[in-house]
Amino acid sequence: MRSLLALLAGGAVVLIWSTAFSLSREAIKDLGVWPFRFYSLLAGLLPIAVFLPKSMRELRTASIEERHNTLIVAVINGFVVSTVNVIALAFFPAPAVLTLMYTMPAITSLIEIVSGKRLHPFAMLAPIVAVVGVLLYIGGSSFGAGAMLVLINASAWAFATILAGRPSHSISGISRVALQCILAFVLNLPFFFIFTVVPKGSIPLPSWNDLLAILYSGVLNGAVAFWLWYYAIAGIGVGRAAYLTLLVPVAGSVFASAFFGDELGPRQVLGIALVSGSMLLRVSVPR
């Protein structure tokens, strides 16, 4: 029964991750990058704030290495990666941003190969397949600079993923999520005031449609998705949970095409398939 619930939790995470980019993009175009970030981070912070005292206690008692790793991962994932994603979504189609971001597992393999920690054939092949998929997806489009921005962001996510994978005996998963939420909100505030409040003299108010996207992005795609993901990993294991992520770029692209009219031609379909194939190669590497 627990395995079934964990599998359902993993499926719910895939659904959230695959649809969040398209839904967020509409609100980003309406509100702007920094107001959307402010509202969505605030929404995501509210349900997780109760865990902040626990997070601070665990952070204080952790070793220096654990503390540094946790804070670096929280800043990269909570602020850098998510902010760049929002900026990219303001200018480029959601399926393109989603597909390129999910080259992360292949980039992780590349980092491990360079560092000499992973020389399995699948790990070595994964970056090659991902690159071919990306070239096919963006070939002939004007997404060149945007693609580089998203790929650099995926690299930052890969680096944070490797750090997050190091054993932590003092800081729980929910504490990591809480720290990530509060740091992202605090780091976003200066940009919000500089680029929104100061030049406009006011804060744009979201419409009802924007509010739904904000709640979806901030709450479901934030604390809820992370909690479900940790539950899935605990119930079915990291390896089986990782296979579920293969569906994210595929489901996300189909969703964006069906409901938002984003282009999904034969070249894009093949590119998405290759990126998902590179993810399959990566998660198939023996641990």
Side-chain angles (χ1 to χ4, degrees):
M1 184 62 180
R2 178 176 170 79
S3 294
L4 177 59
L5 290 175
L7 187 62
L8 290 173
V13 172
V14 169
L15 178 63
I16 293 169
W17 283 349
S18 61
T19 55
F21 275 29
S22 293
L23 293 171
S24 296
R25 188 167 188 259
E26 298 305 305
I28 292 166
K29 289 192 293 185
D30 188 23
L31 289 169
V33 169
W34 301 108
F36 176 80
R37 286 288 288 154
F38 172 78
Y39 286 123
S40 59
L41 287 170
L42 180 61
L45 181 62
L46 293 178
I48 205 76
V50 67
F51 296 102
L52 283 176
K54 168 183 167 68
S55 302
M56 297 310 296
R57 287 196 303 271
E58 292 182 356
L59 194 65
R60 283 195 299 268
T61 58
S63 67
I64 294 176
E65 182 180 2
E66 278 185 295
R67 195 180 307 159
H68 286 172
N69 286 347
T70 299
L71 291 174
I72 291 170
V73 170
V75 171
I76 292 176
N77 284 345
F79 179 69
V80 177
V81 171
S82 55
T83 298
V84 174
N85 279 341
V86 171
I87 292 172
L89 286 170
F91 299 99
F92 305 108
V97 178
L98 183 67
T99 300
L100 268 63
M101 277 303 295
Y102 274 83
T103 59
M104 183 274 288
I107 296 172
T108 302
S109 283
L110 186 60
I111 294 172
E112 291 173 334
I113 291 167
V114 171
S115 62
K117 294 180 179 178
R118 190 78 64 164
L119 296 176
H120 191 278
F122 285 177
M124 300 173 73
L125 186 58
I128 299 172
V129 174
V131 168
V132 174
V134 167
L135 291 175
L136 273 172
Y137 193 101
I138 66 174
S141 72
S142 58
F143 189 46
M148 287 303 301
L149 175 67
V150 178
L151 288 173
I152 290 170
N153 203 36
S155 301
W157 187 18
F159 174 71
T161 299
I162 291 173
L163 280 185
R166 294 179 180 177
S168 177
H169 306 290
S170 305
I171 304 174
S172 62
I174 195 67
S175 293
R176 289 171 179 263
V177 174
L179 287 167
Q180 182 171 307
C181 289
I182 187 63
L183 282 172
F185 181 75
V186 170
L187 291 172
N188 179 74
L189 284 177
F191 295 91
F192 174 62
F193 280 101
I194 291 170
F195 293 107
T196 301
V197 178
V198 172
K200 295 185 178 180
S202 62
I203 301 174
L205 296 177
S207 66
W208 285 110
N209 287 338
D210 294 337
L211 187 60
L212 289 175
I214 287 165
L215 291 174
Y216 197 94
S217 175
V219 180
L220 283 182
N221 196 39
V224 173
F226 275 106
W227 181 82
L228 288 171
W229 186 240
Y230 288 131
Y231 183 86
I233 289 173
I236 61 177
V238 175
R240 291 174 67 190
Y243 281 108
L244 292 173
T245 62
L246 301 173
L247 300 172
V248 175
V250 177
S253 298
V254 171
F255 178 80
S257 176
F259 292 96
F260 294 94
D262 288 332
E263 181 184 2
L264 195 61
R267 193 182 65 246
Q268 285 79 19
V269 170
L270 184 55
I272 292 166
L274 286 171
V275 168
S276 288
S278 74
M279 294 168 63
L280 177 61
L281 290 169
R282 175 63 180 83
V283 299
S284 299
V285 175
R287 294 180 180 276

